[in-house]
Amino acid sequence: MGVDWHSSMASSSTTAASPAYRGRFAPSPTGPLHFGSLVTAVGSYLDAKANRGTWLVRMEDLDPPRNMPGAAEAILQALEALGMMWDETVVYQSKRGDAYAAALAKLKKRKLVYPCACSRREISDSAVSGIDGPVYTGTCRKGLLSGRATRAERVLTEGALIEFKDAIQGKVAHNLERQIGDFVLKRADGPYAYQLAVVVDDAAQGITDVVRGADLLDSTLRQIYLQQLLGFATPRYAHLPVAVNVVGEKLSKQTLAAPIDTSNPVAMLNAALVFLGQDSIDCAPQDTAAFWKRAIAGWRLARVPRTRAEHAPALP
Ligand code: GLU
């Protein structure tokens, strides 16, 4: 992720033998590409290409009720129309259940996972609030009371202190047990949790650099913890500011973010580029090849605003 990042990471083991850069864009296909997801796509793409890396696309379609039919295809078409081609076959999380089951089984075997019967209500009533919502206080750690049914499988976070240096946001360090608590890896009747799936997939795809929205900064702590338990390497992380609307809500399908207008590609791409603190590129409105050539050459991760959220611009 840029020369500055590699050389300033005292704790990084970056050497001449480090694996080549592999980045990814991992949208949840809950709707078409909007400005918020475009920013993540553009940031991850530019950082990968500026580091002569490989850029992958992974569809995070784990949770069928949230997926919108046709959204995955629409996202891929939009990327193509914007001149952002992925380098390897697109991976769909909905087809990776066996890999997630194997990882969960590995943790269960080591007694790092336990069944939990608590409802969301019980947890929020009894919990203190942490950095990312109510902290699960470990009620079911010692076993389920008789007659209680398993609602979820949780991972033990006893004594876990997690620290990492984000390439944009700086140092992040927390006591996972106190600030987040034992977190869910799978709901009894539902999908595997995003936290588990993303860790298994990032490892399986050999991802070295994760560039994504800062709304996932606290998830990164959980993910690094799981990487450590599962014996996976921890990628480098760079969390981009998230695009928010005038009332400060993250752009999303729920907040009715408009789909990207790909008939005007360079203007859209420039809006994302400027949002990321880079200079806009003056080229013909349809010439995405010229846009990318110059955007890649000019990309400076150090110029990305060091904030968790920024207002989205009025779009062209
Ligand atoms: N699928 C997640 C999202 O769309 C992003 C996951 C990630 O980049 O790790 O918010």
Side-chain angles (χ1 to χ4, degrees):
M1 29 187 80
V3 176
D4 297 342
W5 165 241
H6 285 288
S7 57
S8 67
M9 256 308 271
S11 61
S12 155
S13 57
T14 304
T15 65
S18 287
Y21 187 119
R22 286 173 68 81
R24 85 307 191 269
F25 171 51
S28 305
T30 53
L33 199 70
H34 52 73
F35 184 73
S37 39
L38 177 68
V39 164
T40 312
V42 167
S44 62
Y45 181 81
L46 280 173
D47 203 56
K49 296 297 159 185
N51 284 285
R52 296 195 185 79
T54 301
W55 186 67
L56 309 181
V57 173
R58 180 168 74 226
M59 284 296 162
E60 302 212 324
D61 56 351
L62 259 185
D63 192 359
R66 291 187 60 230
N67 297 336
M68 183 180 135
E73 295 71 24
I75 292 171
L76 295 175
Q77 274 165 18
L79 294 174
E80 247 182 294
L82 295 166
M84 303 170 76
M85 285 311 294
W86 47 98
D87 295 311
E88 292 176 11
T89 313
V90 175
V91 166
Y92 290 80
Q93 288 193 325
S94 54
K95 303 201 176 106
R96 305 246 322 127
D98 291 350
Y100 310 144
L104 187 65
K106 199 166 153 187
L107 298 175
K108 274 190 181 167
K109 212 166 153 192
R110 290 170 52 204
K111 308 236 178 310
L112 293 166
V113 172
Y114 64 90
C116 167
C118 299
S119 65
R120 272 181 218 276
R121 181 70 193 270
E122 285 166 333
I123 296 169
S124 59
D125 283 354
S126 67
V128 286
S129 72
I131 49 170
D132 200 15
V135 176
Y136 182 63
T137 46
T139 316
C140 296
R141 269 186 183 177
K142 295 203 177 71
L144 301 188
L145 293 176
S146 67
R148 299 267 282 164
T150 301
R151 283 172 176 263
E153 308 273 1
R154 287 183 186 271
V155 64
L156 268 179
T157 55
E158 234 159 354
L161 298 171
I162 303 291
E163 176 176 323
F164 70 102
K165 188 174 171 203
D166 188 83
I168 297 169
Q169 308 291 339
K171 186 176 156 184
V172 183
H174 282 291
N175 178 317
L176 207 62
E177 184 176 23
R178 267 194 249 135
Q179 292 293 343
I180 288 177
D182 299 345
F183 54 95
V184 171
L185 298 186
K186 188 180 183 311
R187 298 248 161 240
D189 56 352
Y192 290 91
Y194 154 71
Q195 309 293 352
L196 180 67
V198 86
V199 161
V200 170
D201 288 342
D202 282 342
Q205 295 187 287
I207 300 300
T208 61
D209 292 80
V210 173
V211 178
R212 61 182 177 194
D215 53 324
L216 294 169
L217 208 50
D218 300 328
S219 288
T220 304
L221 298 165
R222 299 176 177 92
Q223 292 168 21
I224 293 175
Y225 180 59
L226 291 178
Q227 287 154 5
Q228 293 174 353
L229 296 183
L230 289 162
F232 298 152
T234 290
R236 290 174 290 251
Y237 288 95
H239 285 87
L240 309 169
V242 165
V244 296
N245 62 21
V246 279
V247 290
E249 299 162 331
K250 179 185 165 185
L251 301 192
S252 68
K253 189 183 151 206
Q254 289 72 27
T255 60
L256 307 176
I260 287 301
D261 172 11
T262 53
S263 66
N264 203 4
V266 168
M268 275 297 166
L269 292 169
N270 263 327
L273 198 62
V274 170
F275 183 91
L276 290 169
Q278 317 291 308
D279 295 333
S280 74
I281 286 169
D282 190 13
C283 64
Q286 301 294 327
D287 194 352
T288 54
F291 173 88
W292 286 117
K293 197 165 169 222
R294 289 167 55 193
I296 292 165
W299 173 247
R300 297 289 175 272
L301 190 74
R303 290 180 59 179
V304 175
R306 191 182 175 172
T307 52
R308 287 200 182 199
E310 290 277 312
H311 285 287
L315 291 178

